[in-house]
Amino acid sequence: MRKKHFKLILAFALVLLIMATFSACGLLKPRTIEVSEVSIELTSGLTKEGNDYVAYIGDDVVFTAVWNKSANVNIKKEWKLYKGDEEIDTATSKVYTYSVPVETPDTSATYTIKLTINGIQSSNSFSFKLSYAPLRIEEIESNIRIYNDILQMSRFDYKTVNLKAIYNSTKIDPSVPVTISWKKGASEESNVATYSFTPSDLWDDVTNITLTLTQGEKVVTKQISVHLVLQYLEIKDVEIEFGSGTNTTALGSSGKQVIQQTTSSDPATFSPVTLNAVVTPAVGTNTGAEVTWTIRTKSGTSTAFETGRILTFTPEYGENIVTCYIQNVPSHTFNVVAMTNLDYDTKSGVLTNTFEWEGNVCNHYITDKLDMLALTNYLIANRIMTSQTVYYVEDSIKSGGSMNQDAFRTYMQDVVAMVDEAGQFGYSWNSNTNFTLTDSSVFGNPTQTTAHDGSVQNIADTHYSKATATRTTLPVDSFTKTMEVNNSNQLFRAVSNFYKPVIANSTLNALYNKARDVLKDICDDEMTDYEKVLAIYDWIVTEVTYDSVLFDNNGGLDYDGYYLEGVFNNHKAVCDGKAKAFTLLCGMEGIRSLRISGQAKQPRGGSTSGHAWNKVLVDTPDETGEYDAIKEWFVVDTTWGDRSIRYNGVDTENLSYTYFMLKDSDISNTHTQARSDLPVANSSFDFYKCTTVTRNSRSAPLKVTTSDQLGAVLEYFTAKVGTNGKYTIEIEVSITGVNSETTMKAKISELMNLGIYYHDPNGRNQSQYTAYEPSCMNKDMTDDGRSYIFLLYYLIP
């Protein structure tokens, strides 16, 4: 026998000998502890009136048994309820509930509850009488939603309001009558439980409706306000706040993550959690606006049934990532983590290790690929190469609890495809918990200025010329959250999520100031958000030349054309730099914009290549110039909106609106975004129909449907040519017979020769315009297929 085995057997025998000795001495026998302390705890249901307790009709009275918890004998509980000296009920549970009857309650008798455990009488008891409840208003029920005691209605759409008084009618003394009064302002309107009215133009903007109930000497009131608005304010922001939930602890920035723990051995048993959607501005928005709640868990994404601004749900085990949309405005996420105490002890490190990405509080507990994407993007953006301890939830990448390397590589391929920073990165992991970006990662650094192909940007009618007053501050200056940024990629990401950037680098700060100067020049405080977006679009298209040399040569990622540096320092960039600049400038104005990365191919065929464009959330005007105060998501592509045309051997870039404020379906044949979880753009907007030009008191939309409208547009733009010698305009034409460049040129010649639409402040006549070159493009996004986009190029010899 080996010496090692012999030592083990000897040690085991010694342990048996010690146990036998203790047993003989009685040291291993359990000590029996008897019940010695018993009491009753009032949980709910009794109200103190003077020196006596009363239980209201229809309520539940709840008591809980309490005893010395060290007792380890069999616990036998016995509750007894007495009515006077008569025993009327018994129970053997830990918690005893008495439901006070509504029918024929005896309000003169005294009720007493007593408790015995293992023959030991409780040290206390409770005696109470039954009483009718005091009169109280529970709610004012309405067919139109009331929020925070405010009922809002548009003055353009008066509706009949049906109100009903809901009070505790079954719990009050039926022998004392209740009188009801409804008042509109000081005017008595109704004395029954229901009250209906329809506002009119004669009503004030705010009218108080008061409900008064009287029973004997008891008087209770409740008031709501009817707010009539000409136009609702648009919702600027939606935030989720924690309402309530059992055993929860707030973690993360601004409490955007809460942990709920339970001692239950069943991990599926958790208490309901309530979250509140808080809207900015607090007053003036449509309180009846559509609300959508989504919850991401390990099981996938679900939509909650609640349509109001309060969500109550029972969380699943693990992480529940909640988002709220109100009128297309998304909140940042709110994380609700539900775990047993034991599981939380083992995972607390990854749950409390939080970071912020895209304005959301994220952690190292990886619920799904979007969680992994957030972590990866965060590490790349901040160039964090140290090992990260994470916990992967998905079973697909585990085999018997250990990481399956092949499955993890496949899993990460999907994540890498969604990473929105150009470059390549390597990663590694060890055991089941560590994830690291490796030295094989290659990230761009804007240190090289690119060559330029010499394209000429034609003069166009830009909308940023509308700005009339120079501002000293911008909306970004009032952002309450701050973020330290060290490079231009961090800058546009931070600002687009409404963080005020904190910049220590002097070179980056100079770049930021150039962006500020642009906005001070092209926008002012009198402009609507849509007008600001239009000005930003025009500026990028007309002032930033597309760097085709960089694109054609597939230049390395160190060229500044991929970054904000190319846009603001050199006014030359490719799609990535333009998309970043659009997001930055919109964000600085407090307008939500997303940079979208993916693939694109030319409309009439050709190869597919990487591309970047934008989505923007904005309220757009109708053709009368009115806004409905509802923001909607639209697609914007400042790269494809810059149309390149070669005329007389010269390439020219021309401002176009064919890729401004579109739906996802408008570009579905050419653009494919990498991420599927982004907001959907499904609203229609026709820029040409909603844009009007005026000259000599003659107005016309850029979508012309008659010869008279076309003539008015020509008069406006001909006058703008002035001494510049060239000018480009773009119009949408739906005139019968005008469906090609040839017929368009003929129609223009016909109108110009009439002379009634022609005007030139410099004294030239129409014949001196020796050439104009219309470029026709079928507008695929129209429903009827008969509209054409014409780009007219004016030249003066």
Side-chain angles (χ1 to χ4, degrees):
M1 180 181 295
R2 290 184 175 180
K3 182 183 296 185
K4 179 179 180 182
H5 290 171
F6 176 76
K7 288 182 178 179
L8 287 174
I9 293 173
L10 183 61
F12 181 66
L14 182 59
V15 169
L16 291 178
L17 177 62
I18 293 172
M19 290 181 65
T21 303
F22 282 2
S23 179
C25 297
L27 295 177
L28 294 182
K29 291 182 179 180
R31 181 185 174 191
T32 301
I33 301 177
E34 302 287 346
V35 173
S36 59
E37 301 171 6
V38 177
S39 62
I40 301 173
E41 181 181 274
L42 172 62
T43 304
S44 62
L46 293 185
T47 301
K48 204 72 175 289
E49 293 187 356
N51 294 322
D52 300 322
Y53 281 111
V54 297
Y56 293 137
I57 305 301
D59 286 353
D60 286 340
V61 185
V62 182
F63 302 99
T64 301
V66 178
W67 64 94
N68 52 311
K69 298 301 182 181
S70 58
N72 57 7
V73 297
N74 187 27
I75 308 298
K76 295 181 180 179
K77 300 170 287 291
E78 185 177 28
W79 295 94
K80 289 187 178 182
L81 179 65
Y82 295 88
K83 179 182 178 182
D85 296 329
E86 178 188 1
E87 181 183 312
I88 61 172
D89 194 24
T90 62
T92 58
S93 58
K94 179 182 179 181
V95 177
Y96 173 72
T97 302
Y98 173 59
S99 297
V100 181
V102 175
E103 301 294 333
T104 63
D106 188 348
T107 58
S108 62
T110 298
Y111 294 77
T112 304
I113 186 71
K114 295 183 178 181
L115 169 66
T116 302
I117 298 180
N118 292 3
I120 304 298
Q121 185 73 40
S122 65
S123 59
N124 65 330
S125 63
F126 284 88
S127 295
F128 56 92
K129 287 190 174 184
L130 307 187
S131 173
Y132 289 108
L135 179 67
R136 60 175 177 264
I137 298 174
E138 294 175 349
E139 68 170 316
I140 295 179
E141 189 177 85
S142 173
N143 62 315
I144 296 179
R145 188 162 179 257
I146 300 173
Y147 183 75
N148 281 349
D149 296 329
I150 295 175
L151 186 154
Q152 288 183 323
M153 187 179 298
S154 170
R155 283 196 178 273
F156 297 113
D157 187 19
Y158 294 124
K159 299 180 185 297
T160 297
V161 180
N162 300 316
L163 303 180
K164 183 178 181 180
I166 306 298
Y167 62 100
N168 55 336
S169 57
T170 62
K171 300 179 181 181
I172 60 178
D173 189 347
S175 65
V176 182
V178 175
T179 60
I180 300 175
S181 169
W182 294 92
K183 286 185 177 181
K184 178 170 74 73
S187 172
E188 190 84 27
E189 297 290 317
S190 174
N191 57 7
V192 295
T194 59
Y195 168 45
S196 298
F197 59 86
T198 305
S200 70
D201 290 340
L202 299 178
W203 281 44
D204 293 334
D205 291 342
V206 178
T207 300
N208 293 327
I209 305 295
T210 306
L211 168 64
T212 302
L213 301 185
T214 304
Q215 185 186 35
E217 297 181 354
K218 181 69 173 178
V219 179
V220 292
T221 63
K222 185 172 179 63
Q223 186 177 87
I224 65 169
S225 296
V226 178
H227 290 217
L228 301 180
V229 294
L230 287 174
Q231 180 179 345
Y232 294 128
L233 296 177
E234 67 178 32
I235 294 175
K236 295 288 188 182
D237 192 33
V238 178
E239 283 291 333
I240 297 178
E241 291 185 353
F242 179 64
S244 62
T246 305
N247 292 331
T248 53
T249 303
L251 296 171
S253 174
S254 304
K256 299 306 178 186
Q257 174 172 289
V258 297
I259 309 293
Q260 182 179 125
Q261 297 172 245
T262 178
T263 58
S264 170
S265 59
D266 180 5
T269 304
F270 296 100
S271 302
V273 171
T274 298
L275 301 177
N276 304 319
V278 179
V279 170
T280 303
V283 177
T285 60
N286 184 1
T287 57
E290 179 182 352
V291 181
T292 302
W293 294 88
T294 62
I295 306 174
R296 274 173 43 217
T297 65
K298 178 185 177 182
S299 305
T301 301
S302 62
T303 301
F305 291 106
E306 283 82 352
T307 57
R309 295 186 182 182
I310 299 176
L311 171 69
T312 299
F313 74 104
T314 301
E316 291 185 20
Y317 173 82
E319 190 171 42
N320 301 253
I321 305 171
V322 184
T323 307
C324 179
Y325 279 81
I326 303 183
Q327 281 187 340
N328 303 313
V329 180
S331 71
H332 293 308
T333 59
F334 194 106
N335 302 338
V336 178
V337 180
M339 288 188 175
T340 63
N341 287 342
L342 180 61
D343 282 344
Y344 178 71
D345 288 343
T346 61
K347 300 178 179 65
S348 61
V350 295
L351 288 168
T352 57
N353 186 4
T354 61
F355 59 92
E356 294 189 31
W357 182 254
E358 295 180 340
N360 301 319
V361 174
C362 306
N363 54 40
H364 288 63
Y365 182 90
I366 306 301
T367 297
D368 54 19
K369 289 178 182 176
L370 292 179
D371 260 6
M372 192 63 200
L373 175 64
L375 175 61
T376 305
N377 273 332
Y378 172 74
L379 297 178
I380 293 173
N382 292 280
R383 307 297 193 255
I384 299 174
M385 314 296 287
T386 56
S387 177
Q388 305 292 307
T389 301
V390 298
Y391 178 80
Y392 304 97
V393 170
E394 296 196 27
D395 296 330
S396 61
I397 59 175
K398 294 180 179 180
S399 178
S402 299
M403 190 70 72
N404 182 304
Q405 296 189 11
D406 291 337
F408 188 74
R409 288 192 189 95
T410 302
Y411 172 87
M412 286 300 296
Q413 286 175 0
D414 293 337
V415 174
V416 170
M418 295 187 288
V419 168
D420 65 351
E421 183 158 339
Q424 65 183 43
F425 68 95
Y427 59 87
S428 66
W429 70 95
N430 55 55
S431 70
N432 300 316
T433 58
N434 287 3
F435 177 83
T436 310
L437 292 182
T438 63
D439 293 338
S440 61
S441 302
V442 178
F443 306 115
N445 183 21
T447 57
Q448 300 186 50
T449 302
T450 57
H452 177 42
D453 68 346
S455 293
V456 176
Q457 178 68 56
N458 274 341
I459 300 173
D461 188 49
T462 57
H463 295 83
Y464 57 78
S465 60
K466 180 180 178 180
T468 58
T470 301
R471 297 173 292 177
T472 58
T473 62
L474 300 175
V476 65
D477 300 327
S478 64
F479 291 173
T480 56
K481 298 187 296 183
T482 61
M483 180 174 290
E484 182 179 337
V485 297
N486 299 299
N487 57 60
S488 62
N489 275 359
Q490 290 178 342
L491 175 62
F492 90 83
R493 295 182 193 280
V495 172
S496 67
N497 288 292
F498 301 159
Y499 290 91
K500 183 193 300 183
V502 178
I503 307 172
N505 182 295
S506 59
T507 301
L508 183 60
N509 194 59
L511 175 73
Y512 180 57
N513 285 332
K514 288 181 180 180
R516 293 178 63 89
D517 290 341
V518 168
L519 289 176
K520 290 177 181 179
D521 184 49
I522 70 175
C523 297
D524 62 40
D525 290 333
E526 299 302 315
M527 298 170 71
T528 66
D529 283 355
Y530 166 75
E531 290 170 335
K532 290 179 178 180
V533 169
L534 179 55
I536 291 169
Y537 177 87
D538 281 6
W539 185 86
I540 293 176
V541 172
T542 59
E543 300 293 338
V544 182
T545 305
Y546 185 77
D547 200 333
S548 58
V549 171
L550 176 59
F551 175 77
D552 292 339
N553 296 336
N554 195 24
L557 294 176
D558 288 340
Y559 285 100
D560 57 12
Y562 291 103
Y563 305 93
L564 297 178
E565 282 80 357
V567 172
F568 296 105
N569 290 342
N570 308 309
H571 289 216
K572 294 178 288 186
V574 292
C575 60
D576 210 14
K578 288 189 167 191
K580 291 171 181 176
F582 183 87
T583 295
L584 172 72
L585 294 175
C586 285
M588 292 169 68
E589 291 291 343
I591 300 169
R592 289 177 183 265
S593 172
L594 302 173
R595 168 177 159 271
I596 310 297
S597 59
Q599 298 288 315
K601 61 181 178 181
Q602 295 301 315
R604 295 175 177 82
S607 60
T608 298
S609 60
H611 188 48
W613 60 101
N614 298 95
K615 285 187 178 181
V616 64
L617 180 64
V618 71
D619 180 17
T620 52
D622 61 19
E623 55 196 276
T624 68
E626 295 293 330
Y627 293 81
D628 62 5
I630 299 177
K631 292 183 178 183
E632 295 164 305
W633 286 98
F634 294 95
V635 173
V636 172
D637 192 333
T638 56
T639 300
W640 283 35
D642 197 355
R643 294 174 64 186
S644 178
I645 295 176
R646 173 160 291 197
Y647 183 74
N648 288 342
V650 179
D651 287 334
T652 61
E653 295 183 8
N654 302 273
L655 174 63
S656 168
Y657 297 100
T658 49
Y659 288 92
F660 177 70
M661 311 300 275
L662 305 181
K663 304 191 299 290
D664 285 329
S665 58
D666 293 335
I667 62 168
S668 59
N669 291 331
T670 56
H671 293 57
T672 303
Q673 62 187 34
R675 291 175 58 172
S676 60
D677 63 310
L678 300 175
V680 175
N682 57 9
S683 298
S684 296
F685 176 73
D686 192 327
F687 166 81
Y688 307 96
K689 187 176 183 179
C690 297
T691 303
T692 301
V693 295
T694 302
R695 177 72 185 176
N696 293 337
S697 300
R698 294 177 53 79
S699 297
L702 293 185
K703 180 170 184 173
V704 298
T705 58
T706 66
S707 294
D708 184 67
Q709 289 177 339
L710 177 57
V713 171
L714 291 174
E715 180 183 23
Y716 173 84
F717 282 101
T718 303
K720 281 187 167 289
V721 175
T723 59
N724 292 317
K726 57 186 177 182
Y727 212 88
T728 60
I729 68 170
E730 187 178 58
I731 56 178
E732 181 179 345
V733 181
S734 294
I735 302 176
T736 301
V738 181
N739 54 13
S740 69
E741 294 184 18
T742 301
T743 55
M744 181 66 174
K745 182 179 289 190
K747 175 60 71 174
I748 292 174
S749 295
E750 172 191 336
L751 294 171
M752 296 289 276
N753 288 330
L754 288 176
I756 58 175
Y757 299 118
Y758 178 71
H759 174 76
D760 186 347
N762 298 292
R764 290 187 294 264
N765 58 46
Q766 186 269 337
S767 62
Q768 289 180 284
Y769 288 82
T770 57
Y772 47 82
E773 181 71 15
S775 174
C776 173
M777 186 174 86
N778 187 16
K779 189 181 180 189
D780 297 328
M781 60 281 299
T782 57
D783 296 330
D784 58 18
R786 292 191 299 274
S787 292
Y788 290 82
I789 305 299
F790 287 93
L791 182 71
L792 306 182
Y793 183 20
Y794 284 76
L795 288 177
I796 299 176

